[in-house]
Amino acid sequence: MQSYTVQPAKSVRGEISVPGDKSISHRSIMFGSIASGVTKVTGFLRGEDALATLEAFRAMGVQIDDDGETVTIQGRGLHGLSEPTDVVDCGNSGTSMRLLTGLLAGQNFFSVLSGDKYLRARPMKRVVGPLAQMGARISGRAGGEKAPLAIQGSKLKGIDYDSPVSSAQVKSAIMLAGLYAGGETVVREPHLSRDHSERMLRAFGAHVETFPGGVKVRGGAELTGRDIVVPGDISSAAFFMVAALIVPGSDLLIRGVGINPTRTGIIDVLKGMGGDLELTNQRDESGEPVADIRVRHSKLTAMEISGEVVPRAIDEFPAICVAASLAQGTTVVRDAAELRVKETDRISAMADNLRRAGVEIVETPDGMKITGVAALKGCAADSFGDHRIAMSMMVAGLVAQGETSVSDTECIATSFPGFVSLLEGVAQR
C-alpha cells in the first residue's frame, strides 16, 4: 500500500493544465462505440476509470486504437456490439458500471459486470430499479443492489421516471436504455445533474430533448461518429483551486478547464466563500464551454451549501471541506446525502481526516458542519481507497503545521495520474 508525505508550501504558483474530463471521456468511448463510423477523441483521460470503459467496449468487439494523442473508435452502430466472453471488469468506476448497465439492458446478448471491492459495495438498485420498469432483466447480489450484475439483454419500452436523486449516472443509464426502447423515455430529477450525456448524445444524432426538470429520449435513432475534444476536468482542477486559495502568496493559472454550468458548483461555492477566481479566455469546444481559471490566495468565510448547487459540485466536496476547514466561521453542508454512497462515505471520511488535523466537524445524515481553524495540524490521513479523499488531504497538507502523510494513494490513478508531480511542481518551498 502506497503512502505519500506532504510538506507545507510557501505558495502555489505557475501555469498548469489538468487531465481531460472523466465524465466526458467515459461517454466519448460509449457513444462512439455504438455510433456508425469513426469517432476521434483528443484530450482523453487515461486514468484507470476511463480505461476500464475503453477495455469494456474492446471486450464487446469494438476496435479502439490509442496512439497517445488521439483515441480512434471504429463504431459498430447501435446494434453492433458482440457478447463479451468473460465478466466485464469495471474496476473502481461507478460511471462505467451504471451507464453500461443501461446500455447493455437493450442488447441481444448476456453480460456480467463486476469491479473491485469498493465498487462491489456501492448501490446499484438506483439504476436496476428503473431499468426493470423498462423491461430489463438484471440480477445481482442483495436483490440487484450490489454487483456483480448479470444482464440478459431484452426488449425495452420507454418509461416516464421521476428519479428520487439528482444523479447523472442514474439519468444517463436510463437515457442509454432509452436509445434501445420503444417509444419515448422521460427522466425527471429534483435538481439538474451534469448534462454531458444530453449534450454529447444530441451531437451524435440521438433524439434528445431537454426541458425544465428533465430530459426526453426517443428510441431507435442511429448515431453517427464525430470528433470530440475533451476539456480539462473541473473536478481535477478543484484541488488546485483550493490549494491556491488557502496557501498564502499563491497565484495559479489553470488552462483549458471545462466550465459546463452543471459542473461549476465548485466555482460558485468558492466565490461564495470569498475566493478570488477569475475566468478568462472563455470558448466552446465540441459543445462544451471551456475557460482558463486564475486563482489567488484569499481569506475565506464560512457559508451554507445546499439546494441546487450540491449536484453541481458533488464530486468536489472533499476539496470544499478542506477550504471550509480554513474559512472563518462554521460552514453548513445540507442536501448532500449522495456523498455517503460515493467511492466511500465521503462525509465520514473527510470528517475523520480533518478531525485528525484539528478541525471541529459535526456530521449530519445529509451533510456536515465544519468550524474553520486558524491553522491545520499535520496528521496521518487515510484515503479510505477514495481518490478524491487522498488528493484533498494532500492539498490540506500544503498548509498544515508539520508533515501530513496520506495512506493508500494508489487510488489517485483512477482519475488523475500525475497528480503528485503536478502538485509538487507548483508548490513553492
Side-chain angles (χ1 to χ4, degrees), residues 28-29 32-33 37-44 46 54 57-58 62-76 225-228:
S28 68
I29 297 294
S33 293
V38 177
T39 292
K40 293 188 176 183
V41 186
T42 55
F44 179 77
R46 290 165 180 83
L54 187 153
F57 282 90
R58 281 179 172 165
V62 182
Q63 181 181 334
I64 305 175
D65 300 307
D66 182 4
D67 64 8
E69 295 289 331
T70 303
V71 175
T72 303
I73 307 159
Q74 306 292 336
R76 298 287 296 268
R226 55 158 297 158
D227 292 350
I228 296 172

Side-chain angles (χ1 to χ4, degrees), residues 161-211:
Y161 183 67
D162 285 313
S163 176
V165 296
S166 297
S167 166
Q169 292 180 0
V170 172
K171 177 174 63 176
S172 298
I174 299 169
M175 289 173 65
L176 283 167
L179 296 177
Y180 295 89
E184 192 171 71
T185 297
V186 181
V187 186
R188 297 181 178 84
E189 52 187 353
H191 299 290
L192 180 63
S193 62
R194 59 187 62 176
D195 67 353
H196 301 303
S197 292
E198 294 94 310
R199 288 171 181 257
M200 194 181 294
L201 280 173
R202 195 180 291 118
F204 273 94
H207 298 308
V208 175
E209 178 186 340
T210 55
F211 60 89

Side-chain angles (χ1 to χ4, degrees), residues 79-371:
H79 300 281
L81 299 179
S82 302
E83 183 174 85
T85 59
D86 202 346
V87 173
V88 175
D89 182 6
C90 297
N92 185 247
S93 176
T95 300
S96 301
M97 180 167 285
R98 292 192 178 118
L99 270 62
L100 277 168
T101 300
L103 190 152
L104 293 172
Q107 305 300 323
N108 61 356
F109 54 72
F110 173 80
S111 54
V112 178
L113 302 177
S114 192
D116 68 12
K117 65 179 182 179
Y118 300 106
L119 184 56
R120 294 196 305 273
R122 294 180 68 180
M124 294 298 152
K125 203 65 175 280
R126 52 179 47 197
V127 296
V128 171
L131 292 173
Q133 294 178 33
M134 300 177 75
R137 297 161 60 191
I138 304 170
S139 57
R141 291 186 305 120
E145 179 65 88
K146 304 285 178 66
L149 299 178
I151 306 164
Q152 177 58 63
S154 53
K155 188 173 182 179
L156 305 179
K157 64 179 187 297
I159 60 169
D160 193 317
Y161 183 67
D162 285 313
S163 176
V165 296
S166 297
S167 166
Q169 292 180 0
V170 172
K171 177 174 63 176
S172 298
I174 299 169
M175 289 173 65
L176 283 167
L179 296 177
Y180 295 89
E184 192 171 71
T185 297
V186 181
V187 186
R188 297 181 178 84
E189 52 187 353
H191 299 290
L192 180 63
S193 62
R194 59 187 62 176
D195 67 353
H196 301 303
S197 292
E198 294 94 310
R199 288 171 181 257
M200 194 181 294
L201 280 173
R202 195 180 291 118
F204 273 94
H207 298 308
V208 175
E209 178 186 340
T210 55
F211 60 89
V215 60
K216 299 177 184 177
V217 179
R218 194 163 74 248
E222 283 292 335
L223 310 185
T224 303
R226 55 158 297 158
D227 292 350
I228 296 172
V229 177
V230 181
D233 196 325
I234 195 168
S235 296
S236 297
F239 302 107
F240 290 90
M241 293 183 211
V242 170
L245 288 176
I246 65 176
V247 180
S250 296
D251 187 344
L252 185 69
L253 183 66
I254 313 170
R255 294 198 178 279
V257 180
I259 54 165
N260 181 307
T262 62
R263 298 283 300 282
T264 51
I266 177 67
I267 293 175
D268 295 342
V269 168
L270 294 178
K271 281 187 172 182
M273 298 174 82
D276 182 356
L277 292 91
E278 180 185 3
L279 272 59
T280 61
N281 191 22
Q282 297 192 39
R283 56 209 188 266
D284 190 271
E285 293 180 359
S286 297
E288 291 280 351
V290 177
D292 300 339
I293 304 175
R294 187 174 185 182
V295 190
R296 301 176 182 89
H297 171 251
S298 307
K299 291 190 180 300
L300 302 179
T301 306
M303 65 180 292
E304 178 172 324
I305 307 168
S306 60
E308 65 84 27
V309 77
V310 172
R312 297 194 299 113
I314 197 67
D315 282 344
E316 293 75 56
F317 269 93
I320 289 170
C321 288
V322 174
S325 71
L326 290 157
Q328 184 175 8
T330 299
T331 295
V332 179
V333 178
R334 307 186 199 277
D335 306 323
E338 183 74 7
L339 291 171
R340 293 200 181 273
V341 293
K342 289 291 188 176
E343 282 82 338
T344 188
D345 180 336
R346 287 180 173 165
I347 293 173
S348 289
M350 287 306 298
D352 182 317
N353 280 317
L354 288 173
R355 284 188 192 116
R356 301 183 197 187
V359 183
E360 181 184 327
I361 297 182
V362 177
E363 289 188 46
T364 62
D366 68 342
M368 58 213 304
K369 297 177 182 178
I370 307 170
T371 300

